[in-house]
Amino acid sequence: MTRRVSLAIFAILAAALFLAYSAPAQQTAAQSARAKKLGNQVKCMCGGCNDAAGSCYHSGGTFSGPCPMALDMLKKVDAHVANNDSDSATLNAFVQEYGPLVLIEPPKSGFNLTAWIMPIAVPLIAFFAVWEVVRRWRHRAALTPTAGPTAPAVPHDLLERVQRETHKDDA
Amino acid sequence: MDIAGSFALLLAFVVAIYAFLAGIEGIRTRRSLLTKSARNAGMAVFFLVTFAVGALEYFFFTDNFSLPYVAEHSNRALPGFYKFAALWAGQEGSLLWWSWLLSVFAFLALFTNRKKHPELMPYVGVVIAGVQIFFLTLNNFVANAFNILGSPDANGVMHVATLADGHGLTPLLQYPEMVIHPPMLYLGYTGFTIPFAFALAALLGRYPGEKWIHITRRWTMVAWCFQTVGILLGMHWAYAMLGWGGYWEWDPVENASLLPWITGTAFLHSVMMQEKRGMMKVWNVWLVFTTFMLCILGTLLTRSGAVNSVHAFAQSSIGTWFVGFLAIILVVCFLAYWQNRDYLRSDNQLDSLVSRESSFLFNNLVLLAACFAVLWGTLFPILSEWVVGSKISVGAPFFNKVNVPIAMFLLFLTGVGPLLAWRKTSADALKRNFAWPSAGGLFAGIVAFVFGYRDFYPLVCLILSVFVVLTIFLEFYRGARVVAAREGTNLLSAVGALTMRNTRRYGGYVIHLGIVMIFIGIAGSAFNKDVQAELSVGQSMTIGPYTILCQNFDATANDNYQSARATLEIFRGGKSQMMLYPERRFFPASGETETMVALRSTPLQDLYVVYSGRSPESGNPVIHAFLNPLVKWIWFGGIVVVLGTGLAMLPNRRTALVLASVPEKSWDGTVAAGAPMQGVAAVARRADAHD
């Protein structure tokens, strides 16, 4: 019994130790994923490329990877993440430092919100405009008299023959 | 030679002005000799600009560095292959290239139609000459490639200076595809001038009938095909050269090439409404106008530096000229439309919302929505700067978020459109046509979901792709079955016969198939992986199923560049598969370094390896490996699109009408043997040629 209790205590302690060591590692992985995501939301401000800091490859440079400016920005991202700053606080800090140009996407506020609204609003307006045009067309088509007795009559036997032969072809 | 080239260019400008003015006068006075003279002048521009282009190429090949343009874009060590391509490496040369390609198209349009459409062609000649005057103005007075280094002395005598060597071609352009990609793209841009000229000419001359729309469609297909090839080659160049693992970055210059392609695509669909039902004439004319204006806008974005781009190789203040030209085109188009709007009245109305016509309408709407979204995102940084006073970035994530849903809807319509009948589709036909493709698409989606592929857009893309492919195969199958039964051939030959009888329709389906392949390839990017690691000799790294073992690093040099190369052995499942040699090249003439990517490409995935250089921190060599699924489908899809376009441009093989001796009953019921009669079945068989 004593041996079983000792084994159980040992197992619990081992599990606790494992969790104690693995928990910070998971936290670091999560932080790393978050830092990667944030790094891709800010633009490398070196002026020589149009890449996100997180995926700067700096074409034409001596090293095809993050340039010194991108590395510096990524270190700042890491610092914010380690500090548990929220995403918006981190991005705001970058805007404070580099201006709105640093954000890879237009901010969803003020005039820049129109960047997001217009690609949805304009097609919607166009859709309703087309819908209205179609509705009018159909209305006009309904008012247009259909071919009446003046239309040239197709001989009945010829029509039957055409239907018979085309039907045979389709079978 | 520089004087001869420059003089040829000046003469081309004068001749283009003559073609323009004489053409107008010929139309006004209806003097056919004057009209002919204007046409011949239009064709002569081609020979003069060809001479100028030849002269500039001569300077490149003879290393004549007394011309700043040659000195800036070439050097003695540059291989001849790239000396040829250096012509369009900078502003002056690329504008000259524009003029030359335009003169080629102009020559072809004027020459092939010299005995046709006498009422239309004079207007066409005038419009083309108008466009040529603009570009030749730039070539002669704004960005002249024949300017020479030197300065006049006190007596006004010019002393020419010559540099010992040039600065070399930008390394980004020193890649085989860059010798083909820009000409293809420019062929697209300039090619759209011809449909524009025909559309504007038909409107100005109130050309009767629908003939002009057939001509416009054919020229649009040619330009559209070049534009497609140009865009795809550009994507492949970006993929194989830039070393970031992708092929489309939503860069403003990339976007600029996509815009006229989208409106051109819209036109190629909606033009069928006009040809078949006499509808959407105003829409079509404006689509052609817009496509041409977007070509000019694209050139403006590439050349002016109005927006930041890695592709804008030559930037200057030339944008003002393009803005002025765009304004003139807009005014001319609007006035021509306003004066002749009654000429564009529709012959028919839409009968039903569930019809081929409405599917074209919505297809056009979605395409224009995509065009607007791309244009809006591209120009928004400028707009924001005007309004708010600060520039903002509109990067790839924005374009992806906005355009992916639009693209999915477009893919859906690609499948739906061909299944709907003209005028009206019955509920039975809908059920019959949609049941199998929908079931197939959903089944594929469920299988993918079960196997763990659960990202929303790739899953939707897969479902829709299977749906579209099945609709296309069903269309081929149904048509081929009828032909096979009628002619007693096997199904495969029946597919060939069916396709050749209506090349436009079935060529269109092949294009759709290619587009689906491109969509599948793009959807694969959702599953991209990459690993970057410092790798010394003997060390290895793993990505997906591959292990990359570093064997060696070496360095070589030639007159043009110095190369640092990694030798990597690729293992899969413990077995050696192949060697890869990613490279970095340093070009002393320009002082720039470029990557040469090494690829192991299969239909399932690409192993894409970049030698990133030595780490700035540790000094160790760094290898960046990417695993990009399905990329090859994009390039294959592109080839299928081009083949489909070629097929759609072929003339239909006509069904032979055989006058057979058919026993026919006479009025009294007896059989009159041997009376020739055109069989009703033959007439009915011809009726199956439909779009």
Side-chain angles (χ1 to χ4, degrees), chain B residues 423-469:
Chain B
R423 298 184 72 115
K424 194 173 185 177
T425 307
S426 67
D428 271 355
L430 272 181
K431 226 182 282 174
R432 193 174 59 240
N433 291 342
F434 281 90
W436 281 109
S438 307
L442 284 174
F443 178 73
I446 290 167
V447 170
F449 191 84
V450 168
F451 279 94
Y453 295 99
R454 292 173 188 180
D455 292 71
F456 180 69
Y457 281 122
L459 194 63
V460 172
C461 186
L462 175 76
I463 293 170
L464 292 175
S465 296
V466 173
F467 168 71
V468 177
V469 169

Side-chain angles (χ1 to χ4, degrees), chain A residues 60-62 64 101 104-105 137 165, chain B residues 349 393 395 401 584 593 612 681:
Chain A
T62 50
S64 295
L101 192 65
I104 205 89
E105 288 180 343
W137 274 355
E165 293 195 18
Chain B
Q349 315 293 343
S393 309
K401 280 179 194 166
R584 294 184 66 73
T593 308
S612 303

Side-chain angles (χ1 to χ4, degrees), chain B residues 471-684:
Chain B
T471 61
I472 294 169
F473 280 126
L474 272 179
E475 279 291 287
F476 272 100
Y477 173 69
R478 283 185 185 135
R481 203 180 54 174
V482 172
V483 172
R486 189 186 297 156
E487 296 178 0
T489 54
N490 64 45
L491 210 58
L492 206 62
S493 355
V495 167
L498 179 79
T499 307
M500 294 316 291
R501 271 183 209 175
N502 196 340
T503 52
R504 185 169 161 190
R505 178 180 182 168
Y506 292 99
Y509 288 151
V510 174
I511 296 173
H512 283 183
L513 204 60
I515 296 290
V516 170
M517 289 172 78
I518 293 173
F519 267 85
I520 291 172
I522 293 171
S525 66
F527 307 101
N528 284 0
K529 289 176 191 164
D530 73 295
V531 179
Q532 190 167 26
E534 292 185 6
L535 213 63
S536 301
V537 174
Q539 289 184 320
S540 64
M541 63 195 278
T542 302
I543 181 163
Y546 295 105
T547 301
I548 301 169
L549 175 67
C550 182
Q551 295 278 25
N552 190 25
F553 289 98
D554 58 14
T556 55
N558 61 28
D559 291 344
N560 192 28
Y561 59 82
Q562 296 152 14
S563 163
R565 192 177 73 154
T567 303
L568 306 171
E569 189 169 7
I570 310 301
F571 291 88
R572 186 177 177 150
K575 286 183 183 168
S576 175
Q577 300 285 311
M578 66 186 305
M579 305 297 289
L580 287 180
Y581 305 94
E583 235 181 290
R584 294 184 66 73
R585 291 179 181 172
F586 173 69
F587 295 80
S590 60
E592 290 177 49
T593 308
E594 282 312 325
T595 51
M596 297 300 285
V597 174
L599 266 175
R600 175 186 159 81
S601 188
T602 67
L604 272 184
Q605 59 194 7
D606 279 12
L607 174 65
Y608 177 106
V609 186
V610 182
Y611 175 27
S612 303
R614 292 193 176 262
S615 162
E617 287 162 342
S618 65
N620 292 327
V622 177
I623 299 293
H624 197 169
F626 298 77
L627 204 60
N628 299 335
L630 306 175
V631 176
K632 213 164 191 168
W633 285 62
I634 298 174
W635 321 129
F636 277 138
I639 294 168
V640 173
V641 168
V642 172
L643 289 177
T645 313
L647 187 62
M649 281 195 280
L650 288 177
N652 286 345
R653 188 189 292 163
R654 291 182 188 281
T655 314
L657 276 179
V658 181
L659 294 176
S661 295
V662 179
E664 191 181 16
K665 279 184 182 173
S666 68
W667 62 273
D668 58 353
T670 56
V671 174
M677 177 195 162
Q678 189 170 299
V680 177
V683 178

Side-chain angles (χ1 to χ4, degrees), chain B residues 10 27 67 97 110 142 162 172 214 237 258 326 330 381 418 442 464 467 482 521 524 571 584 626 633 654 677:
Chain B
L10 193 62
I27 291 166
L67 266 74
W97 188 242
L110 295 173
V142 185
T162 303
L172 280 173
H214 301 309
W237 164 78
L258 192 64
L326 265 177
L330 192 63
L442 284 174
L464 292 175
F467 168 71
V482 172
F571 291 88
R584 294 184 66 73
F626 298 77
W633 285 62
R654 291 182 188 281
M677 177 195 162

